[in-house]
Amino acid sequence: MRRALIVVDVQKDFCEGGSIPVKGGTDRARAIAEMVQNSAGSEYAHIVATRDHHIDPGDHFSDHPDYQNSFPVHCVASSEGSAFHPNFAPAAASGAVDEVFYKGAHSASKSGFEGSTADGTPLADWLHARSVSDVDVVGIATDHCVKATALDGAKAGFAVRVLLDYTAGVATDTTDHAIKELRQAGVALTGTPVVID
């Protein structure tokens, strides 16, 4: 068994002060950074991160968002808001994160498994090439991109676990629904979801 950690979208726009902030995101960014630095080279064979990286995502950006499929402008490629949150950025830059996968240039793209490296390698291919069988998923937001990444990981044949102590959800009802969906898909869950309504 080779296990990898996938850190989902710990970016400025998804934390307090960003364009679509998730309450608790800043604290989760700090907790995830500590976990990454403590786990590098031990529990995980590889640690990767995903980033929303929008160029022209069509109706994913909206002046009248429904906050399910459409959202205010966020994580525009090369913008300040698309950068890793300062609480997480040093861990990402320290060498503990092996690769970054960019998603959503021209689509909504919630799942990290829709992302690819700068040279175009998809996340699933990258993990399979390194004989990874199991993945842990953490990040922002539990009820959106974390959920989508975990579900797609299971579809891609990985044994998936979501570490809820290291996620932040947008709202209690949508997070509860996401947890039900994950359980039904056979995704393992540990910890308690962080949701600050």
Side-chain angles (χ1 to χ4, degrees):
M1 180 187 79
R2 287 172 64 82
R3 184 181 296 276
L5 177 68
I6 303 173
V7 179
V8 177
D9 299 359
V10 182
Q11 294 168 264
K12 289 184 178 182
D13 271 347
F14 297 136
C15 297
E16 288 86 346
S19 63
I20 47 174
V22 178
K23 292 179 181 177
T26 298
D27 286 341
R28 294 304 86 203
R30 183 180 299 108
I32 291 167
E34 290 173 1
M35 181 180 69
V36 164
Q37 290 172 321
N38 292 335
S39 299
S42 57
E43 182 175 358
Y44 297 107
H46 297 286
I47 298 174
V48 300
T50 70
R51 282 175 62 173
D52 253 17
H53 186 75
H54 296 307
I55 296 171
D56 182 14
D59 58 9
H60 184 54
F61 285 172
S62 174
D63 292 332
H64 305 284
D66 63 15
Y67 292 94
Q68 288 299 316
N69 298 304
S70 60
F71 296 85
V73 174
H74 62 277
C75 296
V76 173
S78 301
S79 70
E80 183 72 11
S82 73
F84 285 130
H85 189 274
N87 287 353
F88 177 68
S94 71
V97 173
D98 298 310
E99 189 59 85
V100 178
F101 293 82
Y102 299 89
K103 61 188 178 69
H106 300 284
S107 66
S109 192
K110 289 187 177 182
S111 169
F113 283 92
E114 297 175 273
S116 59
T117 62
D119 68 4
T121 303
L123 175 55
D125 291 354
W126 192 95
L127 293 170
H128 284 310
R130 287 155 182 81
S131 301
V132 169
S133 57
D134 295 48
V135 295
D136 286 353
V137 182
V138 300
I140 306 169
T142 318
D143 36 353
H144 290 282
C145 296
V146 169
K147 177 187 79 171
T149 299
L151 291 174
D152 278 357
K155 288 177 188 173
F158 297 97
V160 182
R161 183 171 65 177
V162 174
L163 310 183
L164 293 171
D165 288 340
Y166 296 93
T167 67
V170 173
T172 299
D173 59 344
T174 52
T175 298
D176 288 346
H177 184 71
I179 287 170
K180 289 177 184 175
E181 284 187 73
L182 292 166
R183 284 196 176 117
Q184 289 170 354
V187 172
L189 303 168
T190 69
T192 305
V194 176
V195 182
I196 304 171
D197 286 321

